[in-house]
Coordinates of all heavy atoms in Angstrom, one line a residue:
M1 N -7.6 3.1 -11.5 CA -8.8 2.5 -12.0 C -9.5 2.0 -10.7 O -8.9 1.2 -10.0 CB -8.4 1.5 -12.9 CG -9.7 0.9 -13.6 SD -9.1 -0.3 -15.0 CE -10.6 -1.0 -15.4
T2 N -10.8 2.2 -10.5 CA -11.6 1.7 -9.4 C -12.0 0.4 -9.8 O -12.4 0.0 -10.9 CB -12.7 2.5 -9.1 OG1 -13.6 2.6 -10.2 CG2 -12.3 3.9 -8.5
S3 N -12.0 -0.6 -8.8 CA -12.4 -2.0 -9.1 C -13.5 -2.4 -8.0 O -13.1 -3.3 -7.1 CB -11.3 -3.0 -9.1 OG -10.5 -2.9 -8.0
E4 N -14.6 -1.7 -8.0 CA -15.7 -2.1 -7.0 C -16.2 -3.4 -7.4 O -16.2 -3.7 -8.6 CB -16.8 -1.0 -7.1 CG -16.3 0.3 -6.5 CD -17.2 1.5 -6.9 OE1 -18.4 1.2 -6.8 OE2 -16.8 2.5 -7.4
P5 N -16.7 -4.2 -6.5 CA -17.2 -5.4 -6.8 C -18.5 -5.1 -7.7 O -19.3 -4.3 -7.5 CB -17.7 -5.9 -5.5 CG -17.1 -5.1 -4.4 CD -16.7 -3.8 -5.1
G6 N -18.5 -5.9 -8.9 CA -19.6 -5.8 -9.7 C -19.5 -4.6 -10.8 O -20.3 -4.6 -11.7
S7 N -18.5 -3.8 -10.7 CA -18.2 -2.8 -11.7 C -17.6 -3.4 -13.0 O -16.6 -4.1 -12.8 CB -17.5 -1.6 -11.2 OG -16.1 -1.9 -11.1
L8 N -18.1 -3.0 -14.1 CA -17.5 -3.5 -15.3 C -17.0 -2.3 -16.2 O -17.3 -1.1 -16.0 CB -18.7 -4.1 -16.2 CG -19.2 -5.4 -15.7 CD1 -20.6 -5.7 -16.2 CD2 -18.3 -6.5 -15.7
P9 N -16.0 -2.7 -17.0 CA -15.3 -1.6 -17.6 C -16.0 -0.9 -18.7 O -15.6 0.3 -19.2 CB -14.0 -2.3 -18.2 CG -14.4 -3.8 -18.4 CD -15.3 -3.9 -17.2
G10 N -17.0 -1.6 -19.2 CA -17.9 -1.0 -20.4 C -19.4 -1.2 -20.2 O -19.9 -1.8 -19.2
P11 N -20.1 -0.7 -21.2 CA -21.5 -0.9 -21.2 C -22.0 -2.3 -21.6 O -21.3 -3.2 -22.0 CB -21.9 0.0 -22.3 CG -20.8 0.0 -23.3 CD -19.5 -0.2 -22.5
E12 N -23.3 -2.6 -21.2 CA -24.0 -3.8 -21.5 C -24.0 -4.1 -23.0 O -23.8 -5.3 -23.4 CB -25.4 -3.9 -21.0 CG -25.5 -4.0 -19.6 CD -25.2 -5.4 -19.2 OE1 -25.6 -6.5 -19.8 OE2 -24.3 -5.7 -18.2
W13 N -24.1 -3.1 -23.8 CA -24.4 -3.2 -25.3 C -24.1 -2.0 -26.0 O -24.7 -1.0 -25.6 CB -25.8 -3.8 -25.5 CG -26.0 -4.1 -26.9 CD1 -26.7 -3.3 -27.8 CD2 -25.9 -5.4 -27.5 NE1 -26.8 -4.0 -29.2 CE2 -26.3 -5.3 -28.9 CE3 -25.4 -6.6 -27.0 CZ2 -26.2 -6.4 -29.8 CZ3 -25.4 -7.6 -27.9 CH2 -25.7 -7.5 -29.2
E14 N -23.1 -2.0 -26.9 CA -22.7 -0.8 -27.6 C -22.3 -1.2 -29.0 O -21.4 -2.0 -29.2 CB -21.6 -0.1 -26.9 CG -21.3 1.3 -27.4 CD -20.3 2.1 -26.6 OE1 -20.6 2.6 -25.7 OE2 -19.1 1.9 -26.9
T15 N -23.1 -0.8 -30.0 CA -22.8 -1.0 -31.4 C -22.1 0.1 -32.1 O -21.5 -0.1 -33.2 CB -23.9 -1.4 -32.2 OG1 -24.9 -0.4 -32.1 CG2 -24.6 -2.7 -31.7
V16 N -22.1 1.3 -31.5 CA -21.6 2.5 -32.3 C -20.0 2.6 -31.9 O -19.7 2.3 -30.8 CB -22.3 3.8 -31.9 CG1 -22.2 4.1 -30.3 CG2 -21.9 4.9 -32.7
C17 N -19.3 2.9 -33.0 CA -17.9 3.1 -32.7 C -17.6 4.4 -31.9 O -18.1 5.4 -32.4 CB -17.1 3.1 -34.0 SG -15.3 3.3 -33.9
R18 N -16.8 4.3 -30.9 CA -16.6 5.5 -30.1 C -15.6 6.5 -30.7 O -15.6 7.7 -30.4 CB -15.9 5.0 -28.8 CG -16.7 4.2 -27.9 CD -16.0 3.8 -26.7 NE -16.9 3.1 -25.8 CZ -16.7 2.5 -24.6 NH1 -15.4 2.7 -24.2 NH2 -17.4 1.9 -23.9
I19 N -14.9 6.0 -31.7 CA -13.9 6.9 -32.4 C -14.6 7.6 -33.5 O -14.4 8.8 -33.7 CB -12.7 6.0 -33.0 CG1 -12.1 5.2 -31.9 CG2 -11.7 6.9 -33.7 CD1 -11.1 5.9 -31.0
C20 N -15.3 6.9 -34.4 CA -15.8 7.5 -35.6 C -17.3 7.6 -35.8 O -17.8 8.2 -36.6 CB -15.2 6.8 -36.8 SG -16.0 5.1 -37.1
G21 N -18.0 7.0 -34.9 CA -19.4 7.0 -34.9 C -20.1 5.9 -35.9 O -21.4 6.0 -36.1
H22 N -19.3 5.1 -36.4 CA -19.8 4.1 -37.4 C -20.8 3.1 -36.6 O -20.5 2.7 -35.5 CB -18.6 3.3 -38.0 CG -19.2 2.3 -39.0 ND1 -19.5 2.5 -40.3 CD2 -19.2 0.9 -38.8 CE1 -20.0 1.5 -40.8 NE2 -19.8 0.4 -40.1
D23 N -22.0 2.9 -37.2 CA -22.9 2.1 -36.4 C -23.7 1.2 -37.4 O -25.0 1.2 -37.3 CB -23.8 3.0 -35.6 CG -24.7 2.2 -34.6 OD1 -24.4 1.0 -34.4 OD2 -25.6 2.8 -34.0
D24 N -23.1 0.6 -38.4 CA -23.9 -0.2 -39.3 C -23.6 -1.7 -39.0 O -24.2 -2.5 -39.7 CB -23.4 0.1 -40.7 CG -24.1 1.3 -41.3 OD1 -25.1 1.8 -40.6 OD2 -23.7 1.8 -42.3
D25 N -22.8 -1.9 -38.1 CA -22.4 -3.3 -37.8 C -23.3 -3.9 -36.7 O -23.7 -3.4 -35.7 CB -21.0 -3.3 -37.1 CG -20.2 -4.5 -37.7 OD1 -20.8 -5.7 -37.7 OD2 -19.1 -4.4 -38.0
P26 N -24.0 -5.1 -37.0 CA -24.9 -5.7 -36.1 C -24.2 -6.3 -34.9 O -24.8 -6.5 -33.8 CB -25.5 -6.9 -36.9 CG -24.6 -7.1 -38.1 CD -23.8 -5.9 -38.3
E27 N -22.8 -6.5 -35.1 CA -22.1 -7.0 -34.0 C -21.8 -5.8 -33.0 O -21.2 -4.8 -33.5 CB -20.9 -7.7 -34.4 CG -20.4 -8.8 -33.6 CD -19.3 -9.6 -34.2 OE1 -19.2 -9.8 -35.4 OE2 -18.3 -9.9 -33.4
P28 N -21.9 -6.1 -31.7 CA -21.5 -4.9 -30.7 C -20.0 -4.9 -30.5 O -19.4 -5.8 -30.7 CB -22.1 -5.4 -29.5 CG -22.2 -6.9 -29.5 CD -22.4 -7.2 -31.0
F29 N -19.6 -3.7 -30.3 CA -18.2 -3.5 -29.9 C -18.0 -3.8 -28.5 O -17.0 -4.3 -28.0 CB -17.8 -2.0 -30.1 CG -17.6 -1.6 -31.5 CD1 -18.5 -0.8 -32.2 CD2 -16.6 -2.2 -32.4 CE1 -18.5 -0.5 -33.5 CE2 -16.5 -1.8 -33.7 CZ -17.4 -1.0 -34.3
W30 N -19.0 -3.6 -27.6 CA -19.1 -3.9 -26.2 C -20.3 -4.8 -25.9 O -21.4 -4.5 -26.3 CB -18.9 -2.6 -25.3 CG -17.8 -1.9 -25.4 CD1 -17.3 -1.0 -26.4 CD2 -16.6 -1.9 -24.4 NE1 -16.1 -0.5 -26.1 CE2 -15.7 -1.1 -24.9 CE3 -16.5 -2.5 -23.2 CZ2 -14.5 -0.9 -24.2 CZ3 -15.3 -2.4 -22.5 CH2 -14.3 -1.5 -23.0
E31 N -19.9 -5.7 -25.1 CA -21.1 -6.6 -24.7 C -20.9 -7.2 -23.3 O -19.8 -7.6 -23.0 CB -21.1 -7.8 -25.7 CG -22.4 -8.7 -25.5 CD -22.4 -9.9 -26.5 OE1 -21.4 -10.1 -27.3 OE2 -23.5 -10.6 -26.6
S32 N -22.1 -7.0 -22.6 CA -22.0 -7.4 -21.1 C -20.9 -6.8 -20.4 O -20.4 -7.4 -19.4 CB -22.0 -8.9 -21.0 OG -23.0 -9.5 -21.7
G33 N -20.5 -5.5 -20.7 CA -19.6 -4.9 -19.9 C -18.1 -5.1 -20.4 O -17.2 -4.5 -19.8
W34 N -17.9 -5.8 -21.5 CA -16.6 -6.2 -21.9 C -16.4 -6.0 -23.3 O -17.3 -6.1 -24.1 CB -16.1 -7.6 -21.6 CG -16.2 -7.9 -20.0 CD1 -17.2 -8.4 -19.3 CD2 -15.1 -7.6 -19.1 NE1 -16.9 -8.4 -18.0 CE2 -15.6 -7.9 -17.9 CE3 -13.9 -7.0 -19.3 CZ2 -14.8 -7.8 -16.8 CZ3 -13.0 -6.7 -18.2 CH2 -13.6 -7.1 -17.0
P35 N -15.1 -5.5 -23.7 CA -15.0 -5.4 -25.1 C -15.0 -6.6 -26.0 O -14.6 -7.7 -25.5 CB -13.4 -4.8 -25.2 CG -12.8 -5.2 -24.0 CD -14.0 -5.3 -22.9
N36 N -15.8 -6.5 -27.1 CA -15.9 -7.7 -28.0 C -14.7 -8.0 -28.8 O -14.5 -7.2 -29.8 CB -17.1 -7.5 -28.9 CG -17.4 -8.6 -29.7 OD1 -16.8 -9.7 -29.7 ND2 -18.4 -8.5 -30.6
E37 N -13.8 -8.8 -28.4 CA -12.5 -9.0 -29.1 C -12.8 -9.5 -30.5 O -13.5 -10.4 -30.8 CB -11.7 -10.1 -28.3 CG -10.9 -9.5 -27.1 CD -10.2 -10.5 -26.4 OE1 -9.4 -11.3 -27.0 OE2 -10.2 -10.5 -25.2
G38 N -12.1 -9.0 -31.5 CA -12.3 -9.3 -32.8 C -13.2 -8.4 -33.6 O -13.3 -8.5 -34.8
A39 N -14.1 -7.6 -32.8 CA -14.9 -6.7 -33.6 C -14.0 -5.4 -33.9 O -13.8 -4.7 -33.0 CB -16.0 -6.2 -32.6
I40 N -13.7 -5.3 -35.1 CA -12.9 -4.2 -35.6 C -13.9 -3.3 -36.4 O -14.4 -3.8 -37.3 CB -11.7 -4.7 -36.4 CG1 -10.7 -5.4 -35.4 CG2 -11.0 -3.5 -37.0 CD1 -9.6 -6.1 -36.1
C41 N -13.7 -2.0 -36.2 CA -14.6 -1.0 -36.8 C -14.1 -1.1 -38.3 O -12.8 -0.8 -38.7 CB -14.4 0.3 -36.3 SG -15.4 1.5 -37.1
P42 N -15.0 -1.4 -39.4 CA -14.5 -1.3 -40.8 C -14.2 0.1 -41.2 O -13.6 0.2 -42.3 CB -15.7 -1.8 -41.5 CG -16.9 -1.5 -40.6 CD -16.4 -1.5 -39.2
C43 N -14.6 1.1 -40.4 CA -14.3 2.5 -40.9 C -13.0 2.9 -40.4 O -12.0 3.1 -41.3 CB -15.5 3.3 -40.4 SG -15.3 5.1 -41.0
C44 N -12.9 3.1 -39.1 CA -11.6 3.7 -38.6 C -10.6 2.6 -38.2 O -9.5 3.0 -37.9 CB -11.9 4.6 -37.5 SG -12.4 3.8 -35.9
G45 N -11.0 1.4 -38.1 CA -10.0 0.4 -37.7 C -9.9 0.1 -36.2 O -9.1 -0.6 -35.8
N46 N -10.8 0.9 -35.5 CA -10.6 0.8 -34.1 C -11.0 -0.7 -33.5 O -12.0 -1.2 -34.0 CB -11.5 1.8 -33.3 CG -11.3 1.8 -31.9 OD1 -10.2 1.7 -31.2 ND2 -12.4 1.8 -31.1
E47 N -10.4 -1.0 -32.5 CA -10.7 -2.4 -31.9 C -11.1 -2.0 -30.5 O -10.3 -1.3 -29.8 CB -9.5 -3.2 -32.0 CG -9.8 -4.7 -31.9 CD -8.5 -5.5 -32.1 OE1 -7.5 -5.0 -32.7 OE2 -8.4 -6.5 -31.5
P48 N -12.2 -2.4 -30.0 CA -12.7 -2.0 -28.6 C -11.7 -2.8 -27.6 O -11.4 -4.0 -27.8 CB -14.1 -2.6 -28.5 CG -14.2 -3.7 -29.5 CD -13.3 -3.3 -30.8
S49 N -11.2 -2.0 -26.7 CA -10.4 -2.6 -25.8 C -10.5 -1.8 -24.5 O -10.9 -0.7 -24.4 CB -8.9 -2.6 -26.3 OG -8.4 -1.5 -26.2
M50 N -9.7 -2.3 -23.5 CA -9.6 -1.5 -22.2 C -8.8 -0.2 -22.4 O -8.9 0.6 -21.6 CB -8.9 -2.4 -21.1 CG -9.5 -3.8 -21.0 SD -11.2 -3.8 -20.2 CE -10.6 -3.7 -18.5
N51 N -8.1 -0.1 -23.4 CA -7.3 1.0 -23.8 C -8.1 2.3 -24.4 O -7.6 3.4 -24.4 CB -6.2 0.7 -24.6 CG -5.3 -0.3 -23.9 OD1 -5.0 -0.3 -22.8 ND2 -4.7 -1.2 -24.9
D52 N -9.4 2.0 -24.9 CA -10.0 3.1 -25.5 C -11.2 3.6 -24.5 O -12.2 4.1 -25.0 CB -10.5 2.8 -26.9 CG -11.6 1.7 -26.9 OD1 -12.0 1.1 -25.9 OD2 -12.0 1.4 -28.0
V53 N -11.0 3.4 -23.2 CA -12.1 3.9 -22.3 C -11.7 5.2 -21.8 O -12.5 5.9 -20.9 CB -12.3 2.9 -21.2 CG1 -12.8 1.6 -21.7 CG2 -11.1 2.7 -20.4
S54 N -10.7 6.0 -22.2 CA -10.3 7.3 -21.7 C -10.7 8.2 -23.0 O -10.3 7.9 -24.1 CB -9.0 7.4 -21.4 OG -8.2 8.2 -22.3
V55 N -11.4 9.2 -22.6 CA -11.8 10.1 -23.7 C -10.6 10.8 -24.4 O -10.7 11.2 -25.5 CB -13.0 11.2 -23.2 CG1 -12.4 12.2 -22.4 CG2 -13.8 11.8 -24.4
V56 N -9.6 11.0 -23.6 CA -8.4 11.7 -24.1 C -7.7 10.8 -25.0 O -7.4 11.3 -26.2 CB -7.4 12.0 -22.9 CG1 -6.1 12.7 -23.5 CG2 -8.1 13.1 -21.9
G57 N -7.6 9.5 -24.8 CA -7.0 8.6 -25.7 C -7.8 8.5 -27.0 O -7.3 8.4 -28.1
L58 N -9.2 8.4 -26.9 CA -10.0 8.3 -28.0 C -9.9 9.6 -28.9 O -9.9 9.5 -30.1 CB -11.4 8.3 -27.5 CG -12.1 7.0 -27.0 CD1 -13.4 7.1 -26.4 CD2 -12.2 6.0 -28.1
R59 N -9.9 10.8 -28.3 CA -9.7 12.0 -29.1 C -8.4 12.0 -29.9 O -8.3 12.5 -31.0 CB -9.7 13.2 -28.2 CG -11.2 13.4 -27.7 CD -11.3 14.5 -26.8 NE -12.6 14.8 -26.4 CZ -13.0 15.6 -25.4 NH1 -12.1 16.2 -24.5 NH2 -14.2 15.8 -25.0
E60 N -7.4 11.5 -29.2 CA -6.0 11.4 -29.9 C -6.2 10.4 -31.2 O -5.7 10.9 -32.2 CB -5.0 10.8 -28.9 CG -3.6 11.4 -29.2 CD -2.8 11.0 -28.0 OE1 -2.9 11.6 -27.0 OE2 -2.0 10.1 -28.1
K61 N -6.7 9.3 -30.9 CA -6.9 8.4 -32.1 C -7.8 9.0 -33.2 O -7.4 8.7 -34.3 CB -7.6 7.0 -31.6 CG -6.7 6.2 -30.8 CD -7.4 4.9 -30.6 CE -6.7 4.1 -29.4 NZ -7.1 2.7 -29.4
R62 N -8.9 9.6 -32.8 CA -9.8 10.1 -33.8 C -9.1 11.2 -34.4 O -9.2 11.4 -35.7 CB -11.0 10.7 -33.0 CG -12.1 11.2 -34.0 CD -13.3 11.9 -33.2 NE -13.8 10.8 -32.3 CZ -14.0 11.1 -31.0 NH1 -13.8 12.3 -30.5 NH2 -14.6 10.2 -30.2
G63 N -8.4 12.2 -33.7 CA -7.7 13.2 -34.4 C -6.7 12.7 -35.4 O -6.5 13.2 -36.5
Y64 N -5.9 11.7 -35.1 CA -4.9 11.1 -36.0 C -5.6 10.5 -37.2 O -5.1 10.8 -38.3 CB -4.1 9.9 -35.3 CG -3.1 9.4 -36.1 CD1 -1.8 9.9 -36.4 CD2 -3.4 8.1 -36.7 CE1 -0.9 9.3 -37.2 CE2 -2.4 7.4 -37.6 CZ -1.3 8.1 -37.9 OH -0.4 7.4 -38.6
W65 N -6.7 9.8 -36.9 CA -7.4 9.2 -38.1 C -7.9 10.2 -39.0 O -7.8 10.2 -40.3 CB -8.6 8.3 -37.5 CG -9.5 7.7 -38.5 CD1 -9.1 6.7 -39.4 CD2 -10.8 8.0 -38.7 NE1 -10.3 6.4 -40.1 CE2 -11.3 7.2 -39.7 CE3 -11.8 8.9 -38.1 CZ2 -12.6 7.2 -40.3 CZ3 -13.1 8.9 -38.6 CH2 -13.4 8.1 -39.7
L66 N -8.6 11.3 -38.4 CA -9.1 12.3 -39.4 C -8.0 13.0 -40.1 O -8.1 13.5 -41.2 CB -9.9 13.3 -38.4 CG -11.1 12.9 -37.9 CD1 -11.7 13.9 -36.9 CD2 -12.2 12.7 -39.2
G67 N -6.8 13.3 -39.4 CA -5.7 13.9 -40.0 C -5.1 13.1 -41.2 O -4.5 13.8 -42.1
Q68 N -5.3 11.9 -41.2 CA -4.8 11.0 -42.3 C -5.8 11.1 -43.5 O -5.7 10.4 -44.6 CB -4.8 9.5 -41.9 CG -3.8 9.3 -40.7 CD -2.4 9.5 -41.2 OE1 -1.9 9.1 -42.1 NE2 -1.8 10.5 -40.3
G69 N -7.1 11.7 -43.3 CA -8.0 11.9 -44.3 C -9.1 10.9 -44.0 O -10.0 10.5 -45.0
A70 N -9.4 10.4 -42.8 CA -10.4 9.4 -42.4 C -10.4 8.2 -43.4 O -11.5 8.0 -44.0 CB -11.7 10.2 -42.4
P71 N -9.3 7.5 -43.5 CA -9.4 6.3 -44.5 C -10.1 5.2 -43.8 O -10.1 5.0 -42.6 CB -7.9 6.0 -44.5 CG -7.3 6.4 -43.2 CD -8.1 7.6 -42.8
W72 N -10.9 4.4 -44.7 CA -11.6 3.3 -44.3 C -10.5 2.1 -44.0 O -9.8 1.8 -44.9 CB -12.7 2.9 -45.2 CG -13.9 3.7 -44.9 CD1 -14.0 5.0 -45.1 CD2 -15.2 3.1 -44.5 NE1 -15.4 5.4 -44.6 CE2 -16.0 4.3 -44.3 CE3 -15.6 1.9 -44.2 CZ2 -17.3 4.1 -43.9 CZ3 -16.9 1.7 -43.8 CH2 -17.8 2.8 -43.6
D73 N -10.7 1.4 -43.0 CA -9.9 0.2 -42.7 C -10.4 -0.9 -43.6 O -9.5 -1.6 -44.1 CB -10.2 -0.3 -41.3 CG -9.2 -1.3 -40.9 OD1 -8.0 -1.0 -40.9 OD2 -9.6 -2.5 -40.6
S74 N -11.6 -1.0 -44.0 CA -12.1 -1.9 -45.0 C -12.8 -1.2 -46.0 O -14.0 -1.0 -46.0 CB -13.0 -3.0 -44.3 OG -12.4 -3.7 -43.3
P75 N -12.1 -0.6 -47.1 CA -12.7 0.3 -48.0 C -13.9 -0.3 -48.8 O -14.8 0.4 -49.2 CB -11.5 0.5 -49.0 CG -10.3 0.0 -48.2 CD -10.6 -1.0 -47.3
S76 N -14.0 -1.7 -48.8 CA -15.2 -2.2 -49.5 C -16.5 -2.0 -48.8 O -17.7 -2.1 -49.3 CB -14.9 -3.7 -49.8 OG -14.8 -4.3 -48.5
F77 N -16.3 -1.7 -47.5 CA -17.6 -1.4 -46.7 C -18.0 0.0 -46.8 O -19.0 0.5 -46.4 CB -17.4 -1.7 -45.2 CG -17.3 -3.2 -44.9 CD1 -16.2 -3.9 -45.0 CD2 -18.5 -3.9 -44.6 CE1 -16.1 -5.2 -44.7 CE2 -18.5 -5.2 -44.3 CZ -17.4 -5.9 -44.3
R78 N -17.2 0.9 -47.5 CA -17.5 2.2 -47.5 C -18.7 2.6 -48.4 O -18.6 2.3 -49.6 CB -16.2 3.1 -48.0 CG -16.3 4.6 -48.0 CD -15.1 5.1 -48.7 NE -14.8 6.5 -48.5 CZ -15.6 7.5 -49.2 NH1 -16.4 7.1 -50.1 NH2 -15.2 8.8 -49.0
P79 N -19.8 3.1 -48.0 CA -20.9 3.5 -48.8 C -20.5 4.6 -49.7 O -19.7 5.5 -49.5 CB -22.0 4.0 -47.8 CG -21.6 3.8 -46.4 CD -20.0 3.6 -46.5
D80 N -21.2 4.6 -51.0 CA -20.9 5.5 -52.0 C -21.2 6.9 -51.5 O -20.7 7.9 -51.9 CB -21.7 5.2 -53.3 CG -21.1 4.0 -54.0 OD1 -20.0 3.7 -53.8 OD2 -21.8 3.3 -54.8
D81 N -22.4 7.0 -50.7 CA -22.8 8.3 -50.3 C -22.3 8.6 -48.9 O -22.9 9.3 -48.0 CB -24.3 8.4 -50.3 CG -25.0 7.3 -49.4 OD1 -24.3 6.4 -48.9 OD2 -26.2 7.4 -49.3
W82 N -21.2 8.0 -48.5 CA -20.8 8.2 -47.1 C -20.5 9.7 -46.8 O -19.9 10.3 -47.6 CB -19.4 7.4 -47.0 CG -18.9 7.4 -45.5 CD1 -19.5 7.0 -44.3 CD2 -17.6 7.9 -45.0 NE1 -18.7 7.2 -43.4 CE2 -17.5 7.7 -43.7 CE3 -16.5 8.4 -45.8 CZ2 -16.4 8.0 -43.0 CZ3 -15.4 8.8 -45.0 CH2 -15.2 8.5 -43.7
A83 N -20.9 10.1 -45.7 CA -20.7 11.4 -45.2 C -20.1 11.4 -43.9 O -20.8 11.1 -42.8 CB -22.1 12.1 -45.2
I84 N -18.9 11.8 -43.7 CA -18.1 11.7 -42.4 C -18.8 12.6 -41.4 O -18.9 12.2 -40.2 CB -16.7 12.1 -42.6 CG1 -16.0 12.2 -41.3 CG2 -16.4 13.4 -43.4 CD1 -15.4 10.9 -40.7
L85 N -19.2 13.8 -41.8 CA -19.8 14.7 -40.8 C -21.2 14.3 -40.2 O -21.5 14.5 -39.1 CB -19.9 16.1 -41.4 CG -18.6 16.8 -41.7 CD1 -18.9 18.2 -42.3 CD2 -17.7 16.9 -40.5
E86 N -22.0 13.5 -41.1 CA -23.0 12.9 -40.6 C -22.8 11.8 -39.6 O -23.4 11.5 -38.6 CB -23.9 12.4 -41.8 CG -24.6 13.5 -42.5 CD -25.5 14.2 -41.7 OE1 -26.3 13.7 -40.9 OE2 -25.4 15.5 -41.8
Q87 N -21.7 11.0 -39.9 CA -21.4 9.8 -39.1 C -20.9 10.2 -37.7 O -21.2 9.7 -36.7 CB -20.4 9.0 -39.8 CG -20.0 7.7 -39.0 CD -19.0 6.8 -39.8 OE1 -19.4 6.3 -40.8 NE2 -17.8 6.7 -39.3
V88 N -20.1 11.3 -37.7 CA -19.5 11.6 -36.4 C -20.5 12.1 -35.4 O -20.3 12.1 -34.2 CB -18.3 12.7 -36.5 CG1 -17.1 12.0 -37.2 CG2 -18.7 14.0 -37.2
K89 N -21.7 12.4 -36.0 CA -22.8 12.8 -35.0 C -23.2 11.8 -34.2 O -23.9 11.9 -33.1 CB -24.0 13.4 -35.9 CG -23.8 14.8 -36.6 CD -25.0 15.2 -37.2 CE -24.8 16.4 -38.1 NZ -25.9 16.5 -39.1
H90 N -23.1 10.6 -34.6 CA -23.4 9.3 -33.9 C -22.5 9.0 -32.7 O -22.8 8.1 -31.9 CB -23.6 8.2 -34.8 CG -24.6 8.4 -35.8 ND1 -24.5 8.0 -37.2 CD2 -25.9 9.2 -35.8 CE1 -25.5 8.4 -37.9 NE2 -26.3 9.2 -37.1
I91 N -21.4 9.6 -32.7 CA -20.5 9.3 -31.5 C -21.2 9.7 -30.3 O -21.7 10.8 -30.1 CB -19.2 10.2 -31.7 CG1 -18.4 9.7 -33.0 CG2 -18.3 9.9 -30.4 CD1 -17.3 10.7 -33.2
P92 N -21.2 8.7 -29.3 CA -21.9 8.9 -28.0 C -21.4 10.2 -27.3 O -20.2 10.4 -27.4 CB -21.7 7.7 -27.3 CG -21.3 6.6 -28.2 CD -20.7 7.4 -29.3
A93 N -22.2 11.0 -26.8 CA -21.9 12.3 -26.2 C -20.7 12.2 -25.2 O -19.7 13.1 -25.3 CB -23.0 12.9 -25.4
E94 N -20.6 11.0 -24.5 CA -19.4 11.1 -23.5 C -18.1 10.8 -24.2 O -17.1 10.9 -23.5 CB -19.8 10.0 -22.4 CG -19.8 8.6 -22.9 CD -21.2 8.0 -23.1 OE1 -22.0 8.6 -23.8 OE2 -21.5 7.0 -22.6
W95 N -18.1 10.4 -25.4 CA -16.8 10.0 -26.1 C -16.4 11.1 -27.1 O -15.6 11.0 -27.9 CB -16.9 8.7 -26.8 CG -17.2 7.6 -25.8 CD1 -18.4 6.8 -25.9 CD2 -16.5 7.2 -24.7 NE1 -18.3 6.0 -24.8 CE2 -17.2 6.2 -24.1 CE3 -15.3 7.6 -24.2 CZ2 -16.8 5.5 -22.9 CZ3 -14.8 6.9 -23.0 CH2 -15.5 5.9 -22.4
R96 N -17.2 12.2 -27.1 CA -16.8 13.3 -28.1 C -15.7 14.1 -27.7 O -15.4 14.2 -26.6 CB -18.1 14.2 -28.3 CG -19.1 13.4 -29.2 CD -20.5 14.3 -29.3 NE -21.5 13.6 -30.0 CZ -22.7 13.9 -30.0 NH1 -23.1 15.0 -29.4 NH2 -23.6 13.2 -30.6
Ligands
ZN1 ZN1 -14.7 3.4 -36.0

């Protein structure tokens, strides 16, 4: 891991979940370059952390989650017309 002066581990502002593409939460997962502790994705249950900044690790988590049938971490947030294939399109290109 490079630690150049002024370099931050994450983006200034990111509300979309890197694992599942969920983006209905007004609270960001990443803010000012750091993971927003306590922001847990209601869909896949991912918590932003320094550990999900590798695309390989993300794909592993995503694959496991999908393999379980993509269960919602907070089922009460699940929209009736939820479409997983539409949602995963929102995953930022660099995390696909
Ligand atoms: Zn998610």
Side-chain angles (χ1 to χ4, degrees):
M1 192 173 173
T2 56
S3 57
E4 295 164 45
S7 78
L8 291 164
E12 279 291 311
W13 186 263
E14 189 176 273
T15 58
V16 63
C17 177
R18 295 176 178 182
I19 305 279
C20 72
H22 181 76
D23 192 12
D24 278 346
D25 217 320
E27 209 175 320
F29 289 113
W30 289 80
E31 192 178 4
S32 306
W34 296 97
N36 183 6
E37 280 178 44
I40 295 173
C41 178
C43 183
C44 70
N46 182 49
E47 208 174 327
S49 74
M50 308 289 278
N51 300 322
D52 68 359
V53 294
S54 107
V55 75
V56 175
L58 277 171
R59 284 176 180 165
E60 207 168 284
K61 286 188 193 190
R62 186 184 301 129
Y64 178 79
W65 175 69
L66 288 170
Q68 302 294 306
W72 274 64
D73 189 62
S74 302
S76 58
F77 285 90
R78 188 186 192 278
D80 288 338
D81 60 350
W82 185 58
I84 175 84
L85 293 179
E86 286 303 311
Q87 182 177 291
V88 293
K89 288 180 190 167
H90 300 141
I91 297 169
E94 69 260 48
W95 305 114
R96 284 177 188 164

